[in-house]
Amino acid sequence: MGRQLVEPDRRHVRLPRLGTIRTHENTRKLARRLDAGTARILSATVSFTRGRWFVSLQVEVMRQVRSPARPDVVVGVDLGVRHLAVLADSTGQITHVPNPAHLDTALAKLRRLSRRVSRRQGPDRRTSRAPSRRWVKADAERNRVHHRIADLRTDGLHKLTTTIRAEYGIVVVEDLNVAGMLANRRLARKIADAGFGQIRRQLTYKGGWAGGVTVDADRWFPSSKTCSDCGAVKTKLPLHVRVFACEQCALVMDRDANAARNLAALAAAVKAGTGVAGDQDAQASNPRGADRKTRTTTRPRTRPGGRAGGAIPHQRTETRDPRQAEAATLR
């Protein structure tokens, strides 16, 4: 195993028991590393995913130590639905990354193909009925659209995270409760299409490759409600309000850009331990506990009545058979 798996024409791989197989992608990058001695193939795995056969080569690679283009610059990444990501760095530059919305773009086509599938004779497990050839053909056509959407989403997220990691040395990203956000039936489809969990995961492990640092903001950190200039915290900020207007100072700016600036300031504040905008220990206007999205109530452990919570002991009553009750009375 090793260099013998990749053919010299860089279009074929030779696998045990399967022989020589042509690949869709060119293997020139791997072949160059193998020829230079900077890579070694450990194993090969063949799988069938999304209607295609894939061969995954586990390779041990000698990587050079990389460094970001701006290692001292901190960037805050605020994820959203309107914009996939809003980047605000410590130099004051704000970048809006548009949301491609691959699923919404192909939704009309998917609905049409799904209607076609539903109108044809599909499989039935109860009666062991096999699907018709027309149903198999229509289902394969619909699955190809789903697979293309997934591939476009994966490609876009990888390009975004690689670009961020190649430029900035310190990246601050939110610890979002994606599973809880999917409970919102009005935004669940858009949130799932954006892939928030993948963005954070890729930024974390790519940070180790690029020699950067990843800072995870606390889930309860009010990045959207905090003013990025004076540090005042709003009590409430509904989701439909897209412009942040501070009541303490004259700051008026985009809601997502303000959140990204707070995330960028969070890394410097935590490192320095100062009470500035973005620091969790900052003393700001917070009359109703706006730094927590949920409010917990504590009850006294004991109440009058001798039991916890003042509960009344349940009185157990036994029921008998009426005939047994009459027999006991006659005795």
Side-chain angles (χ1 to χ4, degrees), residues 98-139:
N99 187 0
H102 301 292
L103 181 60
D104 289 347
T105 304
L107 198 58
K109 186 176 182 179
L110 282 175
R111 288 172 178 170
R112 177 174 55 83
L113 295 177
S114 298
R115 286 195 300 267
R116 182 183 301 176
V117 172
S118 64
R119 292 169 182 172
R120 296 182 179 180
Q121 181 176 334
D124 192 351
R125 295 182 179 179
R126 295 174 299 178
T127 60
S128 301
R129 184 184 65 186
S132 64
R133 288 181 294 179
R134 297 176 72 246
W135 183 91
V136 173
K137 182 178 179 181
D139 185 62

Side-chain angles (χ1 to χ4, degrees), residues 46-109:
V46 179
S47 60
F48 183 77
T49 307
R50 298 177 182 175
R52 295 181 179 180
W53 287 96
F54 293 87
V55 54
S56 302
L57 301 178
Q58 185 179 6
V59 184
E60 184 181 8
V61 181
M62 297 175 56
R63 291 180 176 270
Q64 297 180 355
V65 179
R66 298 180 180 179
S67 60
R70 296 191 290 175
D72 298 332
V73 179
V74 182
V75 62
V77 182
D78 181 75
L79 306 178
V81 174
R82 184 177 181 182
H83 297 94
L84 181 59
V86 178
L87 311 178
D89 55 26
S90 54
T91 62
Q93 181 180 359
I94 298 178
T95 305
H96 292 77
V97 179
N99 187 0
H102 301 292
L103 181 60
D104 289 347
T105 304
L107 198 58
K109 186 176 182 179

Side-chain angles (χ1 to χ4, degrees), residues 27-308:
T27 61
R28 62 179 179 273
K29 293 184 179 180
L30 178 58
R32 290 172 183 173
R33 287 185 174 272
L34 294 174
D35 294 338
T38 58
R40 184 168 63 96
I41 298 178
L42 303 179
S43 63
T45 304
V46 179
S47 60
F48 183 77
T49 307
R50 298 177 182 175
R52 295 181 179 180
W53 287 96
F54 293 87
V55 54
S56 302
L57 301 178
Q58 185 179 6
V59 184
E60 184 181 8
V61 181
M62 297 175 56
R63 291 180 176 270
Q64 297 180 355
V65 179
R66 298 180 180 179
S67 60
R70 296 191 290 175
D72 298 332
V73 179
V74 182
V75 62
V77 182
D78 181 75
L79 306 178
V81 174
R82 184 177 181 182
H83 297 94
L84 181 59
V86 178
L87 311 178
D89 55 26
S90 54
T91 62
Q93 181 180 359
I94 298 178
T95 305
H96 292 77
V97 179
N99 187 0
H102 301 292
L103 181 60
D104 289 347
T105 304
L107 198 58
K109 186 176 182 179
L110 282 175
R111 288 172 178 170
R112 177 174 55 83
L113 295 177
S114 298
R115 286 195 300 267
R116 182 183 301 176
V117 172
S118 64
R119 292 169 182 172
R120 296 182 179 180
Q121 181 176 334
D124 192 351
R125 295 182 179 179
R126 295 174 299 178
T127 60
S128 301
R129 184 184 65 186
S132 64
R133 288 181 294 179
R134 297 176 72 246
W135 183 91
V136 173
K137 182 178 179 181
D139 185 62
E141 186 177 359
R142 179 183 59 178
N143 290 338
R144 280 195 296 269
V145 179
H146 279 293
H147 298 160
R148 176 171 174 78
I149 294 172
D151 292 339
L152 290 174
R153 182 187 302 115
T154 303
D155 180 71
L157 295 182
H158 274 292
K159 290 180 178 178
L160 172 63
T161 53
T162 301
T163 303
I164 294 175
R165 273 306 177 185
E167 183 175 359
Y168 301 102
I170 304 176
V171 178
V172 186
V173 63
E174 293 179 297
D175 180 18
L176 298 176
N177 183 16
V178 181
M181 296 170 66
L182 292 177
N184 188 342
R185 61 183 181 86
R186 297 186 179 182
L187 297 176
R189 187 179 73 243
K190 296 182 179 296
I191 293 174
D193 188 25
F196 291 162
Q198 284 293 325
I199 294 177
R200 182 194 171 197
R201 185 184 69 87
Q202 293 177 14
L203 287 175
T204 302
Y205 77 78
K206 289 182 181 180
W209 294 353
V213 179
T214 304
V215 179
D216 294 333
D218 186 68
R219 181 171 296 181
W220 306 111
F221 174 62
S223 59
S224 299
K225 299 179 182 179
T226 305
C227 178
S228 57
D229 278 354
C230 64
V233 182
K234 283 182 172 291
T235 303
K236 292 184 179 181
L237 187 63
L239 190 60
H240 67 274
V241 179
R242 307 312 306 172
V243 178
F244 181 88
C246 182
E247 300 175 356
Q248 305 295 332
C249 62
L251 178 66
V252 177
M253 65 182 309
D254 181 69
R255 173 197 181 113
D256 298 334
N258 177 72
R261 290 179 59 182
N262 288 326
L263 292 175
L266 178 63
V270 171
K271 183 177 180 181
T274 57
V276 296
D279 192 356
Q280 296 181 1
D281 298 330
Q283 300 295 331
S285 175
N286 188 10
R288 295 179 55 188
D291 58 339
R292 291 291 183 269
K293 297 181 181 180
T294 58
R295 183 170 50 189
T296 59
T297 58
T298 58
R299 297 181 180 180
R301 300 181 62 87
T302 59
R303 290 186 180 181
R307 294 177 63 88

